[in-house]
Amino acid sequence: MSDNDLIILFQSIGLSEQRAKDTAKNKKLAPTLQTTIVEAGVNETGCDKSVGALLYTLASTITKDANSHLSYIARAIIDKRLKSADQIAAAIKYVENAGDELVDTEFDNACGVGIVITPEQITSAISTFLESKKDLLVKDRYKLLGSLLAQARQTPELRWVNGADVKEELEKQVVALIGPKDERDMPKKNKDTKNDQKKAEINAMKVSGFGSNKSNQNSIPNMFLEGELAKLHKPGGNKQIKPELMEQHLKETGGKVLTRFPPEPNGFLHIGHAKAINVNFGYAKAHNGLCYLRYDDTNPEAEEEHYFTSIKEAVEWLGFSPWKISYSSDYFDKLYELAIELIKRDKAYACSCTPEEMHEMRGGDDGGERKECAHRNRPIEESLIEFKRMKEGRYKEGEVIIRMKMDMQSGNPQFWDLVAYRVLYTPHHRTGDKWCIYPTYDYTHCLCDSFENITHSLCTLEFRMSRESYYWLCDALEVYKPVQFEYNRLNINNTIMSKRKIAKLVNEGYVKGWDDPRLYTLPALRRRGVPPEAINGFVQDLGVTTSNSTIQVTRFDKYVRDYLDFHVPRLMVIVDPIKVVIENLPDDYLEELTVPFKPKDPSMDDHVVPFSKIVYIDKSDFREQHSPDYFRLAVGKTVGLLYVKHCITCTDVKKDSEGNIEYLICRYENGPDIKKSKTYIQWVSESTKHQSPIRLNEIRIYNNFFMSENPSAHPEGFLKDINPNSLEIATNSLIEIGLHRIISKVFEKSEKKEFEAVRFQAIRVGYFCIDKDSFIDEKNETKNKLILNKI
């Protein structure tokens, strides 16, 4: 069937035009959905959208072990026996273990077919459930509601109940138990209370128990209690080719959830990896399980030691602690022995085809007929001898490889006799020159998951088609088989996250390293001052789905701003200073003002700043010509200085011979005719005693590095989309002395000076942190070199 015919067919069951087109392009899903529609008997008549959605769910979730009963399940949907996604999941699980003959009554019992739960039974089940949660409910009230709903849906008595009915009854009983919402639950109209409410929400980004050693069920983010991740199997729920494999697995793990974050150490992690880190470490934490950090170090040509170090630092910076750190190279001996076993089972063979020949055998550029390799059916002993010669270094790179004997006629390209081993004469950073053959990702990944007893192999959607080969290899070797689940990766516009492209930017000097703050690598975001809690909160707020999307960078920026707004102190910063001489104050005038680090938040503390005859304001706060729509300082106009008792009025402007302003002359309005002003501007003052102001070497202001939302779509390549004004540098800027207090407070909390953790809001300018290029001495003073990054 042509793609156009498939699109028409898929639309006939209620898919939108775009979704039908996307599905037709999916070489794995399209034929399965087509078969499902035919088996359901609606390929000519079509069906209701609700029924079509269930058929789509069946086609996209059916497993290899259940595929022989696809027709039976499809008919059960058409006959209205199966009416929900939960029932379809139960049906798939049942037929996987049922053998060739299905018993209708057993199927119906396993899938909740015909089960009718009365309103009285729902009421009773929820009442019993809430009684067990009563103490927590009284304490945390309505903020616990989402978590309670997710947990209630998991109780056996409510398994087949409509979710809306559970929600309605739960909310009704919660009101009966603790009363309706009151001032403890609702934000007040009062501005301060609104701010307090929002501050509490932003504080929740820290997610106690995620990035800390606390384990509080109430703190589990919704992404683990609702949606796709909430549907995942419990340990022991994944069928094995031999029952004893699961028995041994449960014996070794005690039934714990085990996950892993498996980065390839060939570059620095980016914000997309922050999602993978949160999903893998967070899912394990949510279920009182454990998570490995496993380096996928099977390609010594691309791996460098500083990548390993950076990855570990990034994981820990986000607040997660690996249960164990492991390496794929830990298992090289075991992987080699299993490769021999795979050949002995006639499931792998030695191949001498060139990459070009392999490409043609797989259909070539035109996707033509696929052919099996001439070496595919060579004698087992011959392949074993070739493999041994590869290990002994008797072949050049690419001369001989080991391929898995899969299915060249499968509709899934990830089943076309994938490469398992290749020759590489590059020393490995951990094993040195012990090996000249290295396993591939496709061979290594699932087996390492098996060795480590991983219960949930969580990965992004680009690995969806690899699931079949993942399961095939575990079963071919008869080893424990984890479950792979794919979720949407985090894509953000106005940037690139390809390691290859970022490396090009770094190597060709477009940026100043992998941690250049204009990039979206985790080291770059850290250097720019983005708090890890904001990144975690952003990721957890987005949640997990099974369809890809791209997030606007402005949404991420807003999340960061909201977090900073409630967590950082405020200082007065003069980016482009202009000198002000207050003519009616004596030369030795000095007043010490106590200034809060954050008005209306006494927990932020306060500090002292000097006020003297000479102050500096920003040039953006002054105009020579006054106009009715301008409310800051101008000649003849009065304006207030933040925290200063009286206003100032500009009386004159002094210029040099070229007409540039040298300084302003102002009058302090402290006389009998005191003037008032509704407008206040920031300032810093000169004081030798206080070593004020602090002079900044640079303020680095970062704009989008690319001009368009999708740099890769530029017809001349992504390098042509670079914004020439992505970095602006201001020199000779000034900042008030309160910065010293902030630096001391931050550095006292850790042994290592983390410059990027010194964050503050420059009033009316933006949020800043100190860049690592700065120099701060042992007394935490900034006499030598101080550079700020605009967050």
Side-chain angles (χ1 to χ4, degrees):
M1 187 175 282
S2 69
D3 283 355
N4 285 336
D5 290 336
L6 284 175
I7 292 168
I8 294 171
L9 177 64
F10 295 160
Q11 286 183 285
S12 75
I13 66 166
L15 269 63
S16 66
E17 181 180 0
Q18 186 57 52
R19 193 174 190 189
K21 288 179 179 178
D22 291 342
T23 305
K25 293 177 183 177
N26 189 322
K27 301 305 180 186
K28 174 68 175 178
L29 178 57
T32 307
L33 181 57
Q34 179 188 354
T35 302
T36 302
I37 295 170
V38 171
E39 295 293 345
V42 294
N43 51 307
E44 295 183 359
T45 60
C47 63
D48 292 339
K49 186 176 181 180
S50 59
V51 174
L54 294 176
L55 293 175
Y56 186 92
T57 298
L58 172 60
S60 59
T61 58
I62 191 78
T63 62
K64 183 180 180 181
D65 291 333
N67 201 52
S68 60
H69 296 297
L70 175 65
S71 176
Y72 184 92
I73 301 175
R75 292 305 310 177
I77 293 172
I78 296 301
D79 295 341
K80 301 296 177 69
R81 292 163 65 195
L82 303 180
K83 301 177 181 180
S84 70
D86 284 342
Q87 288 185 304
I88 292 172
I92 292 172
K93 185 174 181 179
Y94 170 78
V95 302
E96 283 179 336
N97 300 283
D100 295 333
E101 296 296 326
L102 299 183
V103 180
D104 288 349
T105 53
E106 291 181 0
F107 177 87
D108 290 352
N109 288 335
C111 304
V113 175
I115 292 179
V116 178
I117 309 294
T118 66
E120 291 77 16
Q121 289 173 313
I122 297 174
T123 299
S124 175
I126 291 178
S127 176
T128 302
F129 169 73
L130 286 179
E131 185 62 32
S132 68
K133 304 290 183 181
K134 188 173 180 179
D135 292 342
L136 278 175
L137 184 58
V138 170
K139 175 177 175 289
D140 294 323
R141 293 181 61 80
Y142 282 91
K143 63 184 177 182
L144 195 61
L145 197 58
S147 150
L148 287 177
L149 179 59
Q151 293 174 55
R153 293 281 288 125
Q154 302 300 315
T155 58
E157 298 86 349
L158 300 171
R159 183 179 180 189
W160 308 115
V161 179
N162 183 285
D165 294 338
V166 175
K167 183 174 185 290
E168 181 181 354
E169 181 61 29
L170 182 76
E171 290 176 346
K172 185 171 75 173
Q173 291 198 31
V174 167
V175 171
L177 274 171
I178 63 174
K181 288 184 178 180
D182 56 27
E183 65 277 358
R184 290 170 291 179
D185 311 296
M186 302 289 287
K188 299 285 183 66
K189 293 181 180 179
N190 179 301
K191 181 180 178 182
D192 291 346
T193 307
K194 278 187 175 181
N195 287 342
D196 290 342
Q197 172 96 4
K198 190 169 184 182
K199 183 173 182 177
E201 292 172 359
I202 301 297
N203 267 320
M205 293 181 191
K206 291 184 177 179
V207 196
S208 176
F210 289 80
S212 74
N213 293 321
K214 299 179 182 178
S215 181
N216 183 349
Q217 179 71 16
N218 299 333
S219 69
I220 298 173
N222 285 340
M223 68 186 290
F224 303 113
L225 297 174
E226 303 169 359
E228 300 297 332
L229 291 179
K231 301 175 185 177
L232 297 184
H233 70 288
K234 295 180 180 179
N238 42 320
K239 184 183 176 183
Q240 301 295 312
I241 196 167
K242 289 183 176 180
E244 55 265 34
L245 293 172
M246 179 54 70
E247 293 171 9
Q248 182 63 27
H249 164 76
L250 292 175
K251 182 179 178 181
E252 293 177 3
T253 66
K256 272 190 175 294
V257 166
L258 286 174
T259 63
R260 79 291 170 271
F261 172 58
E264 185 179 357
N266 62 350
F268 292 84
L269 302 184
H270 53 63
I271 192 169
H273 292 106
K275 180 169 185 175
I277 292 168
N278 269 269
V279 168
N280 282 284
F281 282 92
Y283 186 82
K285 186 77 173 181
H287 296 278
N288 297 314
L290 304 166
C291 184
Y292 285 85
L293 167 60
R294 185 205 306 146
Y295 294 106
D296 178 33
D297 58 340
T298 59
N299 182 11
E301 292 181 321
E303 296 154 5
E304 299 177 22
E305 185 61 36
H306 64 285
Y307 294 145
F308 289 83
T309 303
S310 174
I311 288 170
K312 181 174 180 291
E313 288 177 350
V315 170
E316 292 174 344
W317 175 65
L318 287 177
F320 298 98
S321 299
W323 174 55
K324 287 183 180 179
I325 295 177
S326 62
Y327 303 78
S328 293
S329 56
D330 291 339
Y331 307 105
F332 277 175
D333 288 291
K334 194 170 184 179
L335 290 167
Y336 175 72
E337 294 300 325
L338 283 177
I340 292 175
E341 178 64 24
L342 197 66
I343 295 172
K344 288 180 177 179
R345 292 179 179 224
D346 200 22
K347 302 273 186 191
Y349 60 96
C351 171
S352 302
C353 295
T354 66
E356 293 74 21
E357 289 171 336
M358 288 173 61
H359 177 66
E360 289 302 317
M361 290 175 191
R362 288 171 168 168
D365 293 335
D366 299 327
E369 180 185 357
R370 293 186 294 279
K371 300 176 182 178
E372 293 181 353
C373 165
H375 311 99
R376 197 173 198 266
N377 295 312
R378 72 195 314 169
I380 291 173
E381 285 303 319
E382 194 174 301
S383 286
L384 289 172
I385 291 170
E386 291 293 277
F387 192 33
K388 183 180 179 182
R389 288 174 174 171
M390 287 171 62
K391 183 176 182 290
E392 292 172 346
R394 299 191 185 189
Y395 291 113
K396 298 176 182 177
E397 292 185 4
E399 194 172 355
V400 180
I401 55 176
I402 299 298
R403 296 175 69 181
M404 293 177 271
K405 191 182 289 189
M406 304 168 97
D407 182 1
M408 289 295 293
Q409 302 310 313
S410 168
N412 182 357
Q414 285 298 112
F415 226 58
W416 296 347
D417 287 14
L418 301 177
V419 177
Y421 266 89
R422 74 280 202 205
V423 175
L424 288 175
Y425 289 107
T426 303
H428 192 276
H429 70 288
R430 295 186 75 236
T431 60
D433 57 3
K434 176 181 177 180
W435 299 91
C436 64
I437 55 170
Y438 292 97
T440 62
Y441 173 89
D442 291 309
Y443 175 78
T444 304
H445 184 65
C446 61
L447 294 180
C448 286
D449 280 353
S450 177
F451 302 155
E452 294 178 347
N453 276 306
I454 300 304
T455 57
H456 298 77
S457 177
L458 308 174
C459 55
T460 46
L461 285 172
E462 62 263 36
F463 294 100
R464 173 63 185 86
M465 300 184 80
S466 298
R467 188 198 298 180
E468 190 174 356
S469 58
Y470 181 108
Y471 291 162
W472 177 89
L473 182 55
C474 289
D475 286 345
L477 287 167
E478 296 183 349
V479 297
Y480 162 73
K481 178 174 60 183
V483 171
Q484 178 174 306
F485 169 76
E486 308 86 15
Y487 59 90
N488 62 323
R489 66 183 297 170
L490 174 56
N491 296 306
I492 294 183
N493 66 8
N494 279 111
T495 188
I496 56 169
M497 289 189 280
S498 159
K499 288 181 182 177
R500 178 181 57 81
K501 291 179 179 178
I502 295 174
K504 189 174 183 67
L505 292 174
V506 173
N507 296 334
E508 297 184 13
Y510 291 97
V511 293
K512 299 176 181 178
W514 286 83
D515 66 347
D516 188 302
R518 291 168 290 182
L519 299 175
Y520 278 76
T521 63
L522 291 181
L525 291 172
R526 179 177 184 174
R527 183 176 179 181
R528 199 172 92 200
V530 175
E533 298 90 348
I535 295 175
N536 290 341
F538 173 69
V539 167
Q540 292 164 14
D541 192 45
L542 290 175
V544 165
T545 69
T546 54
S547 57
N548 278 322
S549 61
T550 300
I551 306 301
Q552 295 287 323
V553 71
T554 51
R555 184 174 175 184
F556 174 66
D557 290 342
K558 183 181 185 303
Y559 214 95
V560 175
R561 280 197 306 273
D562 286 347
Y563 181 89
L564 292 169
D565 187 34
F566 287 98
H567 285 83
V568 300
R570 298 178 182 179
L571 295 175
M572 293 185 288
V573 176
I574 310 301
V575 177
D576 191 5
I578 182 171
K579 185 176 181 180
V580 174
V581 177
I582 305 177
E583 59 181 344
N584 58 331
L585 289 180
D587 291 345
D588 61 351
Y589 183 84
L590 183 62
E591 185 178 353
E592 292 186 336
L593 306 177
T594 300
V595 173
F597 276 119
K598 189 174 181 185
K600 300 181 182 179
D601 187 354
S603 66
M604 285 277 188
D605 208 354
D606 53 36
H607 61 291
V608 171
V609 297
F611 174 61
S612 66
K613 182 184 180 72
I614 297 176
V615 299
Y616 296 87
I617 67 171
D618 202 279
K619 282 185 179 178
S620 63
D621 286 331
F622 174 75
R623 282 186 189 174
E624 289 190 65
Q625 301 298 322
H626 174 52
S627 63
D629 61 342
Y630 185 71
F631 300 101
R632 281 170 263 175
L633 190 62
V635 177
K637 184 174 174 58
T638 300
V639 74
L641 300 177
L642 278 171
Y643 313 116
V644 177
K645 186 176 182 180
H646 301 293
C647 303
I648 60 172
T649 302
C650 183
T651 59
D652 198 3
V653 179
K654 295 297 181 182
K655 298 183 179 181
D656 60 20
S657 58
E658 297 180 358
N660 299 314
I661 296 176
E662 287 188 320
Y663 59 92
L664 309 179
I665 297 177
C666 293
R667 181 177 64 250
Y668 193 42
E669 299 293 351
N670 59 347
D673 299 323
I674 296 177
K675 291 185 178 181
K676 300 289 185 181
S677 174
K678 294 182 180 180
T679 303
Y680 288 82
I681 61 175
Q682 67 263 43
W683 55 277
V684 295
S685 185
E686 273 194 7
S687 170
T688 304
K689 174 184 175 182
H690 297 85
Q691 297 181 336
S692 174
I694 299 173
R695 300 187 179 275
L696 303 173
N697 295 78
E698 291 182 5
I699 291 183
R700 297 172 180 172
I701 300 171
Y702 302 101
N703 304 309
N704 283 339
F705 190 61
F706 295 100
M707 293 183 287
S708 67
E709 291 192 353
N710 184 6
S712 297
H714 193 287
E716 297 181 56
F718 74 100
L719 295 178
K720 294 294 184 180
D721 196 53
I722 293 175
N723 177 9
N725 300 312
S726 61
L727 172 61
E728 300 174 26
I729 298 177
T731 56
N732 301 316
S733 302
L734 306 173
I735 187 170
E736 57 157 295
I737 60 172
L739 179 62
H740 290 309
R741 282 282 305 281
I742 295 174
I743 292 172
S744 295
K745 290 176 75 172
V746 171
F747 284 1
E748 284 169 3
K749 295 178 182 178
S750 61
E751 296 179 5
K752 186 179 178 181
K753 290 182 178 179
E754 296 178 343
F755 290 94
E756 75 284 346
V758 182
R759 306 180 185 95
F760 58 89
Q761 180 181 4
I763 298 171
R764 275 198 20 245
V765 180
Y767 299 94
F768 291 86
C769 74
I770 297 180
D771 186 76
K772 70 175 187 179
D773 287 343
S774 303
F775 176 79
I776 298 177
D777 64 22
E778 309 78 43
K779 298 180 180 179
N780 294 332
E781 294 183 354
T782 56
K783 297 176 183 177
N784 300 76
K785 187 176 183 182
L786 188 60
I787 297 170
L788 300 184
N789 289 328
K790 188 172 183 181
I791 302 175

